Amino acid sequence: FSTREHIADNEIVVKMRVKRAHLTVMATAHHQLAALSDQRVIRACVTCIAHIIDTKLEEYQAKREQEILRRSKKAPSVTYDSDSGLYTPIPEEWDGENDSLSLTSAQVVPNEFLLDCVDLAKVMNYASPHSSTTRKLVNESLRRLADTNFRLYISNPESPEAKDVMDLFGLDDTAMDFRFIQDLKSQHHLSESEKPSEPGKELGPVSDNDADPFREEELKRVRLWKVSIDSHLYYRLLDKNTRKLYVAHPEIMSESSGLAQSIYNFMSSIIGRKNSDLTNEPERVYSKPLRILHNTLWPNRRFDRFERDLVDILRYHAKKKNIPFDETLKRNVVPVFGFYFTLTRDEKKGDLHIRVMRDKNDPLTGDKSYHNLKVAEDLFTEN
């Protein structure tokens, strides 16, 4: 939950049920496990990586079109279809094995990205993205994410329930390993205690502390990282339409609360962003007693702390949007992260109830979002 907590043997095993399928997730690390709040850094990394992919693919497409136009002067029969954006026919000799016209997206953008922790801090809306303190916070998170491995296992792999869960999360198998950051290399700096070695002698740290990749001095200083991400996520980001779905809501990018990150993940998977009217389906709504949400997200934490933290999140966003907040919790409706959260208290029992639905006017989840306009376009094309 928190970076301040000590986890025995750096291992956590959690069993849960999703869509009647039983899941087991094991998180392990050599140095320190990732925390809930590190999801914020994951979103920032994905945002920056998606931008890099967009930019490189657009640059390649522009160069490709210029090259085809240049070559087409030697082949007048080549025509351009403005509707499809394709040139036809392309002479076979233009599409050789090593020809620049036939590169795949993975060849144009390999799974190796140069990320600047200051850029990540800016995406997360830190007040002082250039400060050494902010740099240390971001770099510590990157190190934890690179160190933490998740092993997911779905029981009864042949069952329909297992297939439902695989479809829900876009999984390829019922037993998979995930490490968000597969490879992490920082820019190299010599510390004050390290001096150039004599010719023929190896340059190495002079103390165990210098060899520690988590030492505070380095985490405050390092700015650039060469990062390779989980291959499953990488290939999903190469697809333009899937890449757009990984764009996180701007409000969640500023959230340091681990609970807020978990709620956003949960509601995004349960409710989603799709305009159900397009497919003549009922709008998805999450409506449960607050204790049910607590048992789903934070079963190992006290309910009163969960309730307090959730109320704090809603109160903060209500104030930010100049929405009056009822401290008696009789009824509060607050738009947060692209959803409408309605928190009410049962007058007889005194229990809290939460209802969450998609915000139809939100730029990311609303009816006029990129995702829903794309869905509408696809449906129109099919018809």
Side-chain angles (χ1 to χ4, degrees):
F1 288 89
S2 167
T3 57
R4 295 185 298 273
E5 295 180 72
H6 174 73
I7 306 300
D9 301 321
N10 274 323
E11 178 180 298
I12 298 176
V13 179
V14 178
K15 296 186 178 182
M16 66 190 79
R17 191 177 71 176
V18 178
K19 284 183 171 290
R20 295 186 297 175
H22 293 277
L23 279 70
T24 301
V25 182
M26 175 186 290
T28 57
H30 291 293
H31 293 278
Q32 186 179 13
L33 285 165
L36 285 177
S37 57
D38 291 330
Q39 295 176 81
R40 184 184 181 191
V41 175
I42 290 178
R43 301 189 203 285
C45 288
V46 170
T47 298
C48 290
I49 288 173
H51 176 69
I52 292 172
I53 292 174
D54 273 329
T55 302
K56 288 189 174 182
L57 290 180
E58 287 174 2
E59 289 176 350
Y60 167 69
Q61 187 60 29
K63 291 179 180 178
R64 183 178 184 274
E65 290 183 2
Q66 289 176 1
E67 180 64 10
I68 291 177
L69 286 172
R70 186 186 69 80
R71 298 185 190 190
S72 66
K73 294 178 181 179
K74 300 178 182 180
S77 60
V78 175
T79 59
Y80 175 69
D81 184 346
S82 59
D83 292 330
S84 65
L86 298 177
Y87 294 87
T88 56
I90 297 179
E92 291 182 4
E93 62 267 21
W94 290 8
D95 251 344
E97 183 178 349
N98 297 317
D99 197 289
S100 61
L101 298 179
S102 57
L103 296 179
T104 65
S105 295
Q107 289 174 311
V108 177
V109 193
N111 187 7
E112 192 173 79
F113 304 93
L114 193 64
L115 299 182
D116 185 336
C117 70
V118 174
D119 288 340
L120 297 178
K122 289 178 180 178
V123 170
M124 291 183 282
N125 296 316
Y126 273 96
S128 303
H130 290 274
S131 72
S132 60
T133 301
T134 300
R135 194 178 301 188
K136 177 174 178 287
L137 289 172
V138 176
N139 290 341
E140 283 177 336
S141 181
L142 289 172
R143 285 277 172 80
R144 287 191 295 269
L145 291 170
D147 193 34
T148 303
N149 185 76
F150 297 93
R151 174 74 173 170
L152 169 67
Y153 174 74
I154 306 175
S155 61
N156 302 321
E158 303 300 326
S159 66
E161 290 81 8
K163 186 177 184 306
D164 287 343
V165 173
M166 290 172 63
D167 291 341
L168 177 65
F169 296 111
L171 304 179
D172 301 321
D173 202 347
T174 53
M176 298 184 69
D177 283 286
F178 294 92
R179 187 188 294 269
F180 173 65
I181 296 179
Q182 297 282 355
D183 190 40
L184 182 69
K185 292 184 174 68
S186 70
Q187 65 191 72
H188 179 67
H189 286 279
L190 294 176
S191 70
E192 293 179 359
S193 61
E194 290 176 332
K195 298 179 180 179
S197 63
E198 297 177 10
K201 290 188 177 182
E202 182 180 1
L203 173 64
V206 297
S207 69
D208 291 340
N209 181 60
D210 289 327
D212 180 11
F214 287 84
R215 69 182 188 270
E216 185 172 338
E217 180 185 352
E218 182 180 358
L219 292 172
K220 283 184 177 181
R221 182 178 56 213
V222 172
R223 175 166 176 172
L224 298 177
W225 300 88
K226 187 176 287 185
V227 176
S228 296
I229 60 174
D230 178 83
S231 59
H232 178 81
L233 173 61
Y234 164 67
Y235 283 108
R236 289 175 71 84
L237 287 175
L238 286 182
D239 180 84
K240 180 179 180 180
N241 295 325
T242 307
R243 186 161 65 248
K244 294 293 184 180
L245 295 178
Y246 277 90
V247 175
H249 198 280
E251 290 181 349
I252 197 64
M253 298 301 297
S254 303
E255 274 285 357
S256 59
S257 165
L259 175 59
Q261 298 290 338
S262 296
I263 289 176
Y264 178 79
N265 282 346
F266 183 68
M267 295 307 169
S268 294
S269 63
I270 296 296
I271 299 174
R273 302 177 180 178
K274 184 184 292 185
N275 178 4
S276 301
D277 291 340
L278 295 172
T279 52
N280 294 320
E281 298 174 353
E283 190 76 22
R284 291 183 178 181
V285 176
Y286 179 86
S287 183
K288 302 280 185 183
L290 190 60
R291 288 188 179 275
I292 299 296
L293 183 62
H294 164 253
N295 289 333
T296 303
L297 296 180
W298 278 28
N300 297 326
R301 288 300 167 103
R302 288 168 39 185
F303 175 72
D304 61 336
R305 178 184 169 186
F306 174 84
E307 177 184 321
R308 184 186 69 242
D309 288 358
L310 176 61
V311 170
D312 285 345
I313 293 170
L314 296 181
R315 181 190 293 111
Y316 169 78
H317 284 275
K319 181 179 180 181
K320 195 174 180 181
K321 296 165 185 173
N322 296 317
I323 298 173
F325 192 82
D326 178 13
E327 293 294 344
T328 67
L329 305 183
K330 184 177 180 180
R331 179 180 173 83
N332 282 294
V333 181
V334 186
V336 187
F337 315 139
F339 304 100
Y340 268 107
F341 285 76
T342 302
L343 187 67
T344 56
R345 186 183 294 281
D346 187 298
E347 294 183 3
K348 294 182 179 180
K349 298 181 180 180
D351 295 338
L352 289 173
H353 188 281
I354 189 166
R355 188 174 189 272
V356 185
M357 62 186 299
R358 184 175 63 91
D359 182 353
K360 295 184 178 183
N361 296 315
D362 186 82
L364 193 65
T365 63
D367 294 348
K368 295 183 179 180
S369 66
Y370 171 88
H371 174 62
N372 283 315
L373 291 178
K374 180 65 178 174
V375 171
E377 178 184 327
D378 292 343
L379 290 173
F380 178 78
T381 303
E382 290 176 5
N383 295 331

